[in-house]
Amino acid sequence: MAPITAAEDLGANKRKRDVDEHGKRKRAKRDRRLSNGAPVDGEPAQETTTGQVNGVSPSARNPENTVATVVSSDNLVSKKKKRRHRKRGEERSQGVDGGFSIWRVSKPMGGRIMDIDPILTEDERHLILAYNTSIQVYSAAESLLIRKIPLPQIDRGHPTNRVVSIHLSPNSPNQVWVASSAGHLWLIDWTNGQGSEVTIKLNCGILCDMFVERMQIGAELRDVPLVSIERNNEWQIVACDVRGSELKEFKAIISQTIPIFDLRSVRNGYAIIASSERDLLFGILRSRVVKTITQLQYEFFTLDCNDEITCLDVRATDRIHLNRKTQVEAGDEPVLEVVVGCARGAVLFYNDPLPQFRRLQNPKGHRSSLQPRKYHWHRRAVHAVKWSRDGHYIISGGSESTLVLWQLDTQKMDFLPHLSATIENIVVSQRGSAYVLHLDDNSVIVLSTAEMKPTTYISGIQTLISPPPPSKDDIVRRVGQYAPPRLLKTPSAVNPVDSSRVHFCVGNGQRISYSGSGPSTPLIQTLDLTTMQNISKQALTRTNPTDINMTTKGYPITEPRITGIAYSADGTWLATTDEWQPPTRDVNSLEGSPAERREVYLKFWAVSPDDQSLELVSRINAPHYTGRSEPIYGLAADPHSHRFATIGEDGVVRLWEPTVRQRDGVLVKGKLGRQLHSWACSRAIYLQENEEPIEPDAIAVKSFLRGSGAVAFSEDGSTLVCAIGTVHGSTIHVIDTESGKIRNSIDGLITGDIRDISILSSNLVVLSDRLMVYDLVSDELLYGVQLRTNEYPHGPSPSLLTQMAVDHRTLTFAVAVSRAKLDSHNVLSELAVFSPDRSEPEMVHKFPHPITSVVAAIGSSGYLVLDSAAQLWSVSQSMDTKSLAFAQPLVDLNLDQVHTEEAHKDTSTLALLSGQDDEPASGDEMDLDIPDAEADEDNAYPAVVPPQKLADLFDTAPAFAMPPIEDMFYQVTKLFSSNPAVPAS
């Protein structure tokens, strides 16, 4: 970002001095006395101008040339500019990307659960999940995060490098194998996190899948990772011999030109099953006794399933011989039962195919085809399929959000319908008493097989991710399925009453939200920052996630999208705006454009003081109406009263206030005796005349041309600023909220579309293609910053997504810019924190994923940043002791070592806490803290705890982010119970 200065405003000289509380006034007087051609550090200043602002004549130069400093390709601020401020910034150590260290960026929390089978340990007490950059261990009883194991190679690597498989070690249940798409292997001890730094790199281009089997190699049983890799334009299944964190040997078992997925193995490597597009691969071990990995040899059979394979599962059982003939023909080889899920909804069951393969190979045998048993219920692709432990059921799931249980003996089906999203993965516990379901909405559910009731629920951030993840439904091309992905802002808000809760607008999973004409977000999710767990999810618009959501022609029925949310100052009211319009394909046969059938609603919700649930009080249909429903550009809440403001495409600002509901002059109360209210428009302020075009062609053109706008209140609620942009120009209006009169109109501050507007103290901050800071009191432009643009071959264009948040506690504002880079499919995203009195950002930080939401934290300084990978970041001042603190794993709080079984075994710790004696106390005795009689009184020292340690314990986080009171008690007693070191006399 490069600052822009006016012709009489030399930003170089004013940025050399320290800015105090009267710096703006002194700088304005000083800049008027300076000449336009004064040199700066021995270099001539560039002639830069802004647009016309209150009588200042615009420059005749190109607006693209209004740049005062050189912008490098990597940083927002030029290196020349940083050298200019090196002396002043010496007391502030430089941070990342040229920012000062007074701001810090936390590690990301949350993230997206990968499309990988979760791991439920054998004792069913821990759940291991694979995220985009880490492995996380959860407690199955409390659904709390115990340990987060980061993977540095993935975190620092290319964005396409991701975890593709995790598998529990057959020899050591405390270790888990992890494989990435770049060919990295890890053997990590999930109980303590050791092994994440040691990486085994395979010589391959892409690694697709991994399965770990325990095989007899020589005289010992070893873990043998079987990986599917691409190398030298060939796809291979490779068996790896890993010992001592080193790859000793490897053997390519099969090679072909088609990718290989869904690796499975049974009976210590006796059989290997995999899928390759429509083919099912069976590999049978020829020799059970091998001395090295290189001696492994398999005989492979290929079976055509006549449909694309999306998932599979296999189980092996002992063969039961009914007569001597079957014993002679089949021998003692196990019976393989393979179930396959297909892309068109079929489930295929192959029962004992190996003897049939051999009969087909025998030239004297009977020539016949191998026909599976076929089940068909799913409308689209089968996303997951598994065997039950007893082999009597097949469990499958897909985009219908329904768990299907196929009973093989009776050919009946059982259903668990109306799940929250598409089923991506199914895991059956080793005991067979639980099912683990990974859903498309970034959640995992553990169900008991006996009652089909959830026992564990883990849910993270469920916002839309960009680009949308690949789905198994995309294997088969269907009508109405493909919509161009768009990077849109995620409406979010922090609850003013409970600052530990943040609200995001989400959809019914990724696939349903991205279907149709565009992304839909009809739900609001409440996330607890102290645990990073989902508290609730409520529909704010109409939804149809599990009902009939397809038209007769196969098109998906689209859902509305929430475009804005805002809390009142006291948190008792929530205002939301949502919008929906039919896809173009549905109105092709009708007259008019889809915009003429647009539905826009403004809704007011009463927030319950008990559980913060929402109750719809008023719904305003088409709040901005000009013969059709016009979209709402901006929504703002008055910080000092129950009042909201909206601005629409009709060029009207409307103020909304509640009124007491009456019936025949009598006040109406609810069931709980509370007073009922109704919301209505209290004032309409017309900014411009809405001139409707007369010609039909002009109407069609206007349907595709959409303006922009924003609205914001001042800190005391007395002033309302709004910006409206049309094809004819953009203007900012300053309005008195009491009288509704326009006090001032400012032109020339907006370039391109209006992204946001806000008031910080007496300064007006306008965000468009440029960032402009304007002093409303002195009526002058303070500075402007040129934002980054997209790098396209045909020339620069506006950024994909630009947004802003204002923090009144620190008197700063944060600007996030997401833009496309030339010759790259990735979207670069940067966050800069500015103060109104200085054009140089206090901090600039690059994020690995596009930023979709920025909101100011309440109750503490800083900002919450949400990216497109469903990761939440905290940006705060390093000196603020009340800065926002995210949830920490239990291992960081020393709460992961308390187990019921261990508590009975180790009584020494309990004896120290409870003060037990060697002999049991009688009923007449009292529980007293008596010191040990054998202890020397001279060596008895009172526990001295420095105040700094108590401050570090209690001031590290605000009250909402503190651990439970029981945990704090144990940490305090630990400080006072520690014995100080006594010097030897």
Side-chain angles (χ1 to χ4, degrees), residues 267-310:
R267 293 297 178 96
N268 297 336
Y270 165 74
I272 295 177
I273 293 88
S275 65
S276 180
E277 293 184 355
R278 294 193 170 198
D279 295 335
L280 193 61
L281 305 180
F282 290 85
I284 307 301
L285 185 63
R286 293 183 177 179
S287 176
R288 291 293 187 93
V289 180
V290 292
K291 295 182 179 180
T292 61
I293 290 289
T294 56
Q295 296 181 1
L296 286 176
Q297 292 186 358
Y298 281 82
E299 180 184 7
F300 274 89
F301 302 92
T302 303
L303 181 63
D304 188 4
C305 294
N306 294 324
D307 197 358
E308 284 78 6
I309 300 174
T310 57

Side-chain angles (χ1 to χ4, degrees), residues 349-370:
F349 168 40
Y350 293 92
N351 184 21
D352 197 14
L354 296 182
Q356 303 180 53
F357 284 148
R358 294 190 175 92
R359 283 196 293 269
L360 292 176
Q361 283 187 334
N362 188 1
K364 298 181 180 180
H366 178 67
R367 293 290 181 180
S368 63
S369 61
L370 197 157

Side-chain angles (χ1 to χ4, degrees), residues 912-913 943-945 970-980:
L912 289 175
L913 294 178
V944 179
V945 179
Y970 281 115
Q971 296 187 40
V972 173
T973 55
K974 183 179 179 181
L975 293 177
F976 283 92
S977 62
S978 60
N979 294 325

Side-chain angles (χ1 to χ4, degrees), residues 231-250:
R231 183 172 58 181
N232 299 328
N233 297 327
E234 285 187 348
W235 292 89
Q236 301 175 346
I237 299 179
V238 178
C240 303
D241 184 9
V242 179
R243 286 174 291 173
S245 302
E246 293 182 1
L247 180 61
K248 300 295 183 180
E249 295 176 323
F250 63 90

